[in-house]
Amino acid sequence: MERPFAGWSRRLALPAAALALFAGWSLLSAAWSGAAGRTLLEACRVLPYLLALLVFSASPRSPLRLRRAAGGLALAAFAVAVAALASRLAPDVFPTSANIQPDRLSFPLTYWNALALLAGIGLVICFAFAAETSGARGARTIASGAVPLLAVTLLLTYSRGGVAITVLMLTIYLALARPRGAVAALLASAPPAAVALIAAYRADLLASADPTTAAAAAQGHRVAAVVIACTVAAAAFQMLLIARVEARLAVPAALAWRLQERRTRWILAVVCAAVIAVPVIRAVAHQVNDFSARPSAAALADTRQRLSDPSSNGRVQYWRAALDGFRGSPLNGTGAGTYQLDWWRYRAVAQTVTEAHSLYLQ
């Protein structure tokens, strides 16, 4: 390769420098930390992120390589989702070791939020491939078929943040890219995904404290059949729409050009903000007190209810402990990786917590 660092640019300098300073400050804090071992471990966690940023950002880029990278990421997300669903929908065939919270799907990444994020990223990329009218028919068909499976994986993690971020990513993609095949992709993948999600949500034993019982396995088998059928249906619908009616559903080129005008974008943004502002403000005003409270009894009794539970799941207490630690040492902090010590010192509830669940406050 003649230019192995062709991706280096001035735009890379700012995030790379910021991450390098963060890693350096984390390492330097071992000098005044009350637990130098914790601090060194935390600093060592930051360095791989810096290295990954530099390596991948410095690599030569092209539209074809970016497309291949996105396809590889989507394929990896799909493979992980298949393994995750196999462990939950057929625990009698693919048994796994017990997790911290067995009611929330986390295998094989061991953390439900991470699995939700990966499934969400894969879902958005697959939808983007399905909505790309210039893509190969086979690739678009496969991408559309992957959406229901990834959506069910996302649901069974019961990660509110993962679900919200996925919806946000998909909305931003549609607003910025405005793909001509978006309508066809939605018609092909959304109904099968909705059917699969309803079937998975109704299987209450899959979100129980022991989702490996015979009854839970029976429910899982039924959900697996529905997911497979919906996957095939989404792919078949996509193929049918491409062959028959996609040209009629595609966004006209003239309208797509108009949507790219700055004035039009601002008008659309103002209209959307006006439509959603009132109900959002009312919901926030109604639930702001519930956010600082502990999870409701319904959410504790049924994991599925946490998706609509407005509480912060105890995070307000975590954040307050972090702020109390900050007030005690506002300039240099107490050392990277030492939040748990602050939690033991300032906690309001007897609970084991190692992270503040907010990188900025921590």
Side-chain angles (χ1 to χ4, degrees):
M1 186 179 298
E2 296 182 358
R3 300 181 59 198
F5 302 106
W8 284 93
S9 64
R10 293 182 179 179
R11 291 180 296 179
L12 174 61
L14 181 60
L19 195 54
L21 288 174
F22 179 64
W25 185 254
S26 299
L27 187 60
L28 183 63
S29 66
W32 59 81
S33 171
R38 291 172 179 260
T39 300
L40 290 176
L41 287 175
E42 192 68 21
C44 289
R45 289 193 184 121
V46 180
L47 293 175
Y49 288 104
L50 175 61
L51 180 61
L53 172 65
L54 295 177
V55 169
F56 286 102
S57 299
S59 301
R61 297 187 301 274
S62 68
L64 179 59
R65 287 181 175 177
L66 290 176
R67 182 181 178 83
R68 288 176 177 174
L73 181 57
L75 181 61
F78 182 79
V80 171
V82 169
L85 285 185
S87 70
R88 182 52 48 101
L89 303 184
D92 51 337
V93 181
F94 303 99
T96 58
S97 58
N99 205 338
I100 300 174
Q101 287 189 241
D103 54 333
R104 302 177 64 180
L105 183 60
S106 59
F107 178 86
L109 301 187
T110 72
Y111 185 40
W112 46 86
N113 285 331
L115 180 60
L117 183 59
L118 180 61
I121 292 173
L123 189 152
V124 174
I125 295 176
C126 286
F127 182 84
F129 278 124
E132 191 177 47
T133 55
S134 60
R137 288 188 177 186
R140 297 180 63 190
T141 299
I142 295 173
S144 181
V147 170
L149 186 143
L150 290 166
V152 171
T153 303
L154 174 63
L155 170 69
L156 293 181
T157 64
Y158 295 103
S159 170
R160 294 176 297 182
V163 172
I165 290 174
T166 300
V167 173
L168 180 61
M169 287 191 296
L170 189 58
T171 302
I172 292 175
Y173 163 72
L174 291 173
L176 295 181
R178 295 176 294 277
R180 298 193 65 195
V183 176
L186 281 172
L187 290 176
S189 60
V195 172
L197 288 172
I198 292 173
Y201 186 83
R202 288 181 175 177
D204 58 327
L205 297 180
L206 299 183
S208 63
D210 186 5
T212 63
T213 63
Q219 279 191 354
H221 294 169
R222 291 192 291 270
V223 173
V226 173
V227 171
I228 293 173
C230 290
T231 297
V232 174
F237 290 162
Q238 181 72 30
M239 184 180 298
L240 180 63
L241 290 173
I242 292 175
R244 299 292 182 181
V245 297
E246 184 179 49
R248 302 176 185 177
L249 298 174
V251 178
L255 178 58
W257 179 80
R258 289 286 300 173
L259 289 174
Q260 292 178 359
E261 293 184 357
R262 179 176 297 181
R263 180 180 299 178
T264 304
R265 291 201 301 266
W266 275 108
I267 292 175
L268 289 175
V270 171
V271 171
C272 292
V275 170
I276 67 175
V278 174
V280 167
I281 291 175
R282 291 183 62 183
V284 171
H286 178 70
Q287 296 184 351
V288 65
N289 293 329
D290 294 335
F291 178 78
S292 60
R294 301 292 298 174
S296 64
L300 292 175
D302 187 349
T303 303
R304 299 174 300 169
Q305 298 299 320
R306 76 179 314 275
L307 292 176
S308 58
D309 185 63
S311 75
S312 63
N313 202 29
R315 283 171 172 75
V316 171
Q317 286 81 5
Y318 309 158
W319 300 339
R320 287 173 178 169
L323 290 174
D324 289 338
F326 169 75
R327 294 187 187 98
S329 184
L331 180 60
N332 54 6
T334 58
T338 60
Y339 168 78
Q340 188 175 21
L341 304 181
D342 285 335
W343 170 252
W344 288 338
R345 184 178 297 113
Y346 301 111
R347 65 181 179 181
V349 293
Q351 186 176 357
T352 301
V353 178
T354 60
E355 308 291 338
H357 291 74
S358 171
L359 179 61
Y360 308 101
L361 291 179
Q362 183 166 323

